[in-house]
Amino acid sequence: MASIVSVVTGQLRHMPAGGLPHDIFALGIASKIRIDRNSTAMASSDFGRIVEAAPEAVLHPATPSDIAAFIRFSASSPAPFPVSPRGQGHSVRGQSLAPGGVVVDMPTLGRGHHSRINVSADYVDSGGEQLWIDILRATLEQGLAPRVWTDYLHITVGGTLSNAGIGGQAFRHGPQIANVEELDVVTGTGDMVTCSREKSSDLFFAALGGLGQFGVITRARIMLEQAPKRVRWVRLAYSDVAMFTRDQELLISKRASEARFDYVEGQVQLNMTLAEGPKSTPFFSEADINRLAGLASQSSSAAIYIMEVAMYYNDTTASYVDKKLEKILEQLSFVPGFVFTKDVRYVQFLDRVREEEEVLRSAGLWDVPHPWLNLFIPRSRILDFDTGVIKGLLGGTNPVGVILMYPMNTAKWDDRMTAMAPLAGEDMFYTVALLRSAVDASDLEILEGENEAVLSFCDKEGIECKQYLPHHKSEDGWKQHFGTRWSRIAELKAKFDPHAILSPGQRIFPSPH
Ligand code: FAD
């Protein structure tokens, strides 16, 4: 029996491999099951490059029915085995792996003859395996587009909807999961169910943000809006975090004037990174970086803050975009003169991280470990977090990567869905994403140590943070994550995946192997 080796921060752990029942190859879809090393190796790791675990096999489904037949087989076998859908494998902690089981290679679903992206007037029906960039291209042909985007578009619909799907438009429209009208889901018993807010709603709400625990999303109906043609893309520098957060909150609040931005995010730039990091970026020229480094060197703190905002426009509104922008900028308190503006096509704006990916790839800095930590922090504690973490704990190394910090409106999150927002009863919360890469083994150790220290800091200071794209090592961690909703989550798991077959890489429920 093959053994599976998991590599977590340099420590080797051996997990028993279960082996699959022999009669699996008598299934009608046997020709779509691969057990060769090339296939299993491809499904053994993820973007994080921290955890490795080989599956016994990989299923390449041609249709959702193939997935259903396969899951039914596992669920009815005397020894059910784990099954994990894998989109692009862009998780960072092995969430799409299936140690001792079978990975379902979702992208194969989209390689058939029929298009699995169908655009209507108000919505697009998309296969769960489709990439957001392909949805963008298809919808733009009709002058339409989804309303909320993740920063990176080369990830799948099923992968982001299993988490939440957040970005700079979420303050207005909620996360991507709040913009879905209907799903097709294959449950952990192999049933194919169409669900919505009205029909089989418990499965609909469970699957959205459901970390792959309740079923495989094979189709999502996603709301659309008229697409703009162009984007005025602006970055504003702040040396004072209180001004930075005050302005961000103003821009996402109902108090903001009619002339609002369509996208609001923000980044923290550690002074050290500005001084010693890249000389230019796809957005900032060398001269811009020098100015920002100068600003940072005058500031007494360890960081400066860059608000990133965008205003959409098209042919009819082009004449007033400058006026509108001017009017909003007058209300804000960035450092005078530190306004950086670009004017780009809508696609170029949405697909901006691809350009950064190319830069990192060519520098050999893309395929490296990514010990990312994403947190949701209650609004009332963001300045404490900034003092203790950004200005306090970080800075043991000078890593490649970014730190995002931006607020969202709590009311846009539907707490019937599985995704967790902070429950502190506040109208806004922040996402703080420590998206740092480890260039060598010592970096990884330092960054992992800093991540642990950040979580302990929040715990000690009573900051009720929630992990986004969560990773918990124990059932207690998950119970704490879901809080009072834990028993409901366990109930839904027992209903839709009674053998705990699905997405074992999340390590929420004990898997059959
Ligand atoms: P995978 O990693 O393949 O899968 C993730 C989980 O979902 C696994 O548990 C898997 O079993 C399950 N799953 C996959 N497909 C399905 C399906 N069809 N049905 C049910 N379960 C399924 N996220 C944001 O919200 N906002 C961002 O701005 C953002 N930016 C990112 C930038 C980069 C460069 C990267 C690498 C990631 C970013 N993410 C962001 C995180 C991303 O949304 C998640 O990692 C997402 O899971 C990736 O999708 P995937 O297709 O690679 O999923």
Side-chain angles (χ1 to χ4, degrees), residues 47 84-91 95-96 106 128 150-152 155-156 158-160 162-163 165-166 211-212 215-217 366 372 468-469 503 506:
F47 180 75
S84 186
R86 174 188 166 95
Q88 287 294 296
H90 273 27
S91 304
Q95 286 93 333
S96 62
M106 295 299 288
T150 48
D151 294 344
Y152 183 61
I155 44 186
T156 67
T160 70
S162 295
N163 285 292
I166 58 168
L211 306 172
V216 179
I217 298 169
W366 184 258
W372 287 5
Y468 176 56
L469 310 169
S503 294
Q506 300 278 3

Side-chain angles (χ1 to χ4, degrees), residues 426-439:
E426 299 187 14
D427 58 346
M428 290 178 192
F429 64 89
Y430 276 78
T431 183
V432 179
L434 307 180
L435 308 180
R436 304 178 302 161
S437 310
V439 175

Side-chain angles (χ1 to χ4, degrees), residues 166-179:
I166 58 168
Q169 302 87 356
F171 77 88
R172 180 171 299 163
H173 301 294
Q176 288 177 330
I177 49 173
N179 290 272

Side-chain angles (χ1 to χ4, degrees), residues 186-222:
V186 180
T187 67
T189 48
D191 294 310
M192 297 173 76
V193 183
T194 297
C195 54
S196 66
R197 282 176 180 73
E198 291 77 37
K199 201 170 136 197
S200 302
S201 61
D202 53 354
L203 180 59
F204 180 76
F205 292 126
L208 291 170
L211 306 172
Q213 295 306 300
F214 310 101
V216 179
I217 298 169
T218 55
R219 177 186 63 96
R221 177 166 289 180
I222 301 158

Side-chain angles (χ1 to χ4, degrees), residues 183-332:
L183 295 174
D184 283 348
V185 176
V186 180
T187 67
T189 48
D191 294 310
M192 297 173 76
V193 183
T194 297
C195 54
S196 66
R197 282 176 180 73
E198 291 77 37
K199 201 170 136 197
S200 302
S201 61
D202 53 354
L203 180 59
F204 180 76
F205 292 126
L208 291 170
L211 306 172
Q213 295 306 300
F214 310 101
V216 179
I217 298 169
T218 55
R219 177 186 63 96
R221 177 166 289 180
I222 301 158
M223 296 174 199
L224 299 177
E225 65 179 7
Q226 289 295 320
K229 285 229 163 85
R230 296 196 68 83
V231 176
R232 196 57 60 86
W233 179 12
V234 183
R235 290 188 180 175
L236 308 164
Y238 291 74
S239 47
D240 179 351
V241 66
M243 295 287 187
F244 170 72
T245 52
R246 194 201 65 174
D247 281 359
Q248 283 186 318
E249 290 173 18
L250 171 72
L251 290 175
I252 74 157
S253 72
K254 290 204 191 94
R255 285 176 296 133
S257 67
E258 285 250 309
R260 290 211 294 176
F261 288 115
D262 297 289
Y263 163 103
V264 178
E265 285 199 10
Q267 297 181 6
V268 180
Q269 283 284 346
L270 297 178
N271 295 2
M272 185 171 54
T273 311
L274 280 167
E276 298 169 26
K279 297 278 166 267
S280 66
T281 69
F283 188 94
F284 289 124
S285 66
E286 192 170 342
D288 295 340
I289 295 276
N290 287 338
R291 282 188 72 210
L292 291 167
L295 177 67
S297 68
Q298 288 158 25
S299 133
S300 54
S301 78
I304 60 168
Y305 303 82
I306 315 272
M307 181 142 75
E308 181 174 62
V309 286
M311 191 173 275
Y312 298 163
Y313 68 98
N314 53 36
D315 298 340
T316 52
T317 51
S319 57
Y320 22 93
V321 70
D322 284 328
K323 269 222 163 68
K324 218 170 128 183
L325 182 61
E326 209 177 292
K327 202 167 146 200
I328 309 187
L329 294 187
E330 275 167 12
Q331 302 169 43
L332 305 179

Side-chain angles (χ1 to χ4, degrees), residues 381 393 452-464:
R381 304 301 305 274
L393 291 171
E452 287 296 330
V454 170
L455 292 171
S456 310
F457 170 83
C458 291
D459 202 27
K460 210 167 94 236
E461 296 298 314
I463 298 177
E464 282 187 45

